[in-house]
Amino acid sequence: LLAWIVVICMRSFGQTPAQVGAAIGAANLVAVPLAFVASLLLSRWLLPRIGPVFPLRAIWVGYALSAVVLGSLAFADTIVTVYLLIGVGYAINGTTGMLLPTGLQNLAPPTLRARFVAVNGVVNLALAALAPPIVGLLSDRYSQLHPN
């Protein structure tokens, strides 16, 4: 979805590419440091309480929260709401992304860790490459149902 956010903002809210770029850049400028601090604080607070399974649980919770936040973009009625949701989504995804390497390492035995992380990266890249065309296809297919 976020691969198409520039087009969505331009078509649905009359934004220029420069406006979208500036707003998304500002959202990232705020979200990335927040994600870094959140990953540190959550790790220091929850790792001793939950144990080695903490990164995986945090990732699952982060993915669920991200799905709700970014899924609500379909119902955003102002461009400010869109940019706020994008910023919150970036912060959540950034936090889970920073916890992902630790979580993956805890899943695999030491002799397979490098391969496991590499396979995960290849699968994620393949799915990330497929996502924008799928969103475009769905958008073209169902655009008559709802303008957004």
Side-chain angles (χ1 to χ4, degrees), residues 76-94:
D77 55 352
T78 68
I79 192 64
V80 173
T81 305
V82 170
Y83 292 142
L84 287 173
L85 289 171
I86 290 169
V88 172
Y90 281 160
I92 293 168
N93 288 328

Side-chain angles (χ1 to χ4, degrees), residues 61-143:
V61 170
Y63 287 162
L65 288 173
S66 179
V68 170
V69 169
L70 296 178
S72 64
L73 281 169
F75 306 103
D77 55 352
T78 68
I79 192 64
V80 173
T81 305
V82 170
Y83 292 142
L84 287 173
L85 289 171
I86 290 169
V88 172
Y90 281 160
I92 293 168
N93 288 328
T95 303
T96 58
M98 291 176 197
L99 296 172
L100 185 64
T102 304
L104 291 177
Q105 289 177 11
N106 290 342
L107 284 175
T111 56
L112 294 176
R113 283 185 182 154
R115 286 187 188 144
F116 184 72
V117 171
V119 168
N120 177 270
V122 169
V123 169
N124 278 338
L125 285 174
L127 293 175
L130 288 173
I134 290 171
V135 170
L137 177 72
L138 291 172
S139 177
D140 288 346
R141 176 105 172 122
Y142 297 107
S143 62

Side-chain angles (χ1 to χ4, degrees), residues 20-66:
V20 178
I24 290 176
N28 268 315
L29 191 63
V30 173
V32 171
L34 284 177
F36 178 71
V37 170
S39 69
L40 288 176
L41 293 177
L42 287 170
S43 293
R44 288 186 181 163
W45 183 54
L46 292 175
L47 189 58
R49 289 167 176 79
I50 297 175
V53 75
F54 156 72
L56 296 175
R57 287 190 182 165
I59 290 166
W60 278 102
V61 170
Y63 287 162
L65 288 173
S66 179

